[in-house]
Structures are given as structure tokens and as C-alpha cells.
Amino acid sequence: MFSGMIFIFAPLVVGYLISIERAQTLEKINVTTSRLIYLILALMGLSLAALDNLGQNLQAILKYTFVFFSVISLSNLLALPLVDKLLPIETDSHQKKLPLSAMAMESARLIFVVGGGLIAGLVLPIGLEWVDTASEWILFVLLFFIGIQLRNSGLTLKQILINKHGLVIACLIIITSLLGGIISALLLDINIYQGLAMASGFGWYSLAGILMGDAFGPVFGGASFMIELLRELFALVLIPMFIRSKPCTSIGYAGATAMDFTLPVIQSTGGVRCVPIAIVSGFILSLLVPVLMLFFVSLAG
């Protein structure tokens, strides 16, 4: 049962064991990782083009996206205000306007990459039988580089353990998201472990879509990608509106993106006191995305 999980999880573990001090090397790894993500998302689009009954499958993607996103978001947002009530923090925000439209376009660019792959697969007279194999090998390389990035993120175990807010927020997101995944699976009449795997993306849309697509096919991969992308886009709107009154809720809903993509929004609208909380919660969730997803994938298999 766990052999497939170990096989695909090994590159992540090996990468995490590598410590790199040279900033230039880390920058090259970051650039390479970004390019691999674009490449594998384009391949995801090609996989969609190879599906039989494409229109029906696109309807399934939209249905899965709507149900999972709605249920998981509701579960998160019902529980996170408890953290603000029990462990309140003060924000030292200032009135700085952020180019949210530009940040949203960065996310939308990835949708265009998937769409471009889909259109290319439908229009160009090429065989697509090689796409799944290519995606798997690129995924192994991608997980290896992601392991290196997580190891060299600059956050020590001590820093994680002493940040109570970040730990509590991450734990609450995990529990409520998995609960939402179970409910969504029951509503959609799919395997419970598939639902739990789909709920373990925590906002990391590129990796979530890739892992789900590799495990369960392009329908699940496309839906997982859209679910987590919607979380990030919704977080970009929610954070400036509510971080002053409910900082933990705003940081928590951002999920794994709190340590990178939405961090500038959190810092500029919530202040410097929110930054350690966002980094710790985001780091924990980022670390657990491949772990939990691959674990539940192995159970579903």
C-alpha cells in the first residue's frame, strides 16, 4: 500500500536533507522550480485534451471545485475566529495600498498555462500518450527541489515550536480542511481518502494540482488546482478587509501561501507582528501538503 507513496516521496526527503549556503545556488533552484511548475502545468493541460468526453469532464472539474472550495472554506472560516477570541494579537497596521490586481494576475498566469496546454492538445496534431510519463518524471525532479527549498527556508525547528499562534492556526486549518474533505467526498459520492487528499492542498495550488493529477487523473488534478488557486485569490481579498479585526483568521485562511505569496499583503496590512505567525503557519502547512496528500493517495490506492 505504501510502496507507491515511498517511491514518489523519496525525492522530497532527499532534497530536504541537502543544506545549501550559497544564495546564488538557492536562487537558481528557485528559478528552476518555477519553470518546472509551468512545464508540468502545461502538461496537465495536455492531459485534459487527451480525455474522452472533454465537456463532461470539465463539468466534473467545476462541480468538484465548487463543492470542495465551498465546504472547506466554510469549515476554515467557522473555526478560525476562535483563535482570535482565545489568543488575541494586536496589529500595528498602516494604510498602505497594495497592487492586488498585479498579484492576482500572477496567479491567473498559471491558469493561462494550463489553458494553453489544453488548447495546444486540442489543436495540434500530436500524440499525447507520452504526457503522463513525462509528468511523473518531472514531478520527481520538482519534489526534489521543493525539499531543498523547505530545508533552506531559514526557519528552525525551535522557531516553529515557540510560536504558539502559528502552530495553533496550522493545526486548526489541517483539522477543519480534512473535515471539509470528508464532507465533500460524501456529498460527491467519491472515495473518502480521495476527499482527504483533495483537502490537503492548503493553498499550494501548483503542487496540489500536480500530485492529484498524477494520482487520480487530470479531472482531480484540474479540480485540485482550481480549489487551491481560489483559496489564494480569496485570501488576497479577505486579508486587507479583516486582518485588523481578525488577524489569525486572515492569516490562517491564506494557508500555505502565508509564508510566501500572501506574506507581503499580511505584512503591509497587518504589521510586522503578524509576520512570524504567517511564516510559521505557512511553513508547517507547506511542509505537510506533500506528506498528507501522498499519504491519503496511498490509502486510496
Side-chain angles (χ1 to χ4, degrees):
M1 180 181 291
F2 295 99
S3 58
M5 174 186 173
I6 294 173
F7 180 65
I8 199 172
F9 192 57
L12 184 75
V13 175
V14 173
Y16 192 79
L17 296 175
I18 298 175
S19 178
I20 297 176
E21 296 183 359
R22 290 188 59 187
Q24 291 180 342
T25 303
L26 286 173
E27 180 60 28
K28 290 180 180 179
I29 289 174
N30 292 336
V31 171
T32 302
T33 302
S34 298
R35 290 175 178 172
L36 286 175
I37 287 173
Y38 280 109
L39 176 59
I40 205 167
L41 289 177
L43 291 176
M44 182 191 297
L46 287 174
S47 296
L48 288 172
L51 286 175
D52 295 327
N53 302 318
L54 179 60
Q56 184 177 351
N57 282 300
L58 287 177
Q59 288 182 358
I61 290 175
L62 293 176
K63 181 173 73 172
Y64 287 6
T65 299
F66 174 77
V67 173
F68 273 99
F69 177 73
S70 300
V71 175
I72 292 173
S73 294
L74 183 61
S75 300
N76 292 163
L77 294 174
L78 284 176
L80 283 169
L82 294 175
V83 185
D84 284 305
K85 185 176 181 179
L86 300 176
L87 298 172
I89 59 174
E90 292 183 8
T91 59
D92 49 355
S93 56
H94 49 83
Q95 302 295 324
K96 181 178 179 180
K97 293 185 178 180
L98 294 165
L100 295 181
S101 59
M103 299 183 73
M105 277 304 298
E106 183 67 24
S107 299
R109 188 179 304 165
L110 296 178
I111 298 179
F112 295 144
V113 172
V114 178
L118 172 61
I119 293 172
L122 294 173
V123 174
L124 299 179
I126 56 175
L128 300 175
E129 61 278 353
W130 54 272
V131 172
D132 289 341
T133 301
S135 297
E136 288 182 4
W137 283 105
I138 296 171
L139 174 60
F140 294 149
V141 178
L142 180 63
L143 287 173
F144 172 72
F145 285 134
I146 288 174
I148 295 176
Q149 288 178 318
L150 291 173
R151 170 63 183 271
N152 296 276
S153 63
L155 203 62
T156 66
L157 183 61
K158 181 179 178 181
Q159 288 174 312
I160 295 173
L161 293 177
I162 63 176
N163 194 296
K164 180 169 59 176
H165 286 86
L167 277 170
V168 171
I169 288 172
C171 289
L172 200 57
I173 285 292
I174 293 167
I175 293 169
T176 56
S177 294
L178 295 182
L179 178 61
I182 293 173
I183 296 172
S184 298
L186 294 174
L187 291 173
L188 293 167
D189 194 24
I190 62 174
N191 186 289
I192 293 294
Y193 293 121
Q194 285 181 321
L196 288 168
M198 290 282 284
S200 301
F202 307 136
W204 195 345
Y205 46 81
S206 53
L207 183 61
I210 291 165
L211 290 177
M212 289 297 94
D214 182 68
F216 303 128
V219 170
F220 280 89
S224 185
F225 173 78
M226 291 303 301
I227 291 162
E228 305 309 334
L229 182 60
L230 284 173
R231 175 190 281 271
E232 181 175 281
L233 294 175
F234 190 63
L236 287 174
V237 177
L238 184 145
I239 291 168
M241 292 176 61
F242 295 105
I243 197 166
R244 293 174 180 83
S245 58
K246 296 188 181 300
C248 293
T249 299
S250 303
I251 294 169
Y253 187 77
T257 71
M259 72 172 288
D260 44 56
F261 191 81
T262 57
L263 184 61
V265 190
I266 292 169
Q267 180 176 3
S268 296
T269 57
V272 70
R273 295 181 185 178
C274 294
V275 172
I277 299 171
I279 292 176
V280 169
S281 63
F283 178 84
I284 294 171
L285 293 171
S286 296
L287 186 63
L288 289 179
V289 168
V291 176
L292 290 177
M293 274 199 165
L294 294 174
F295 174 68
F296 291 127
V297 163
S298 70
L299 296 178

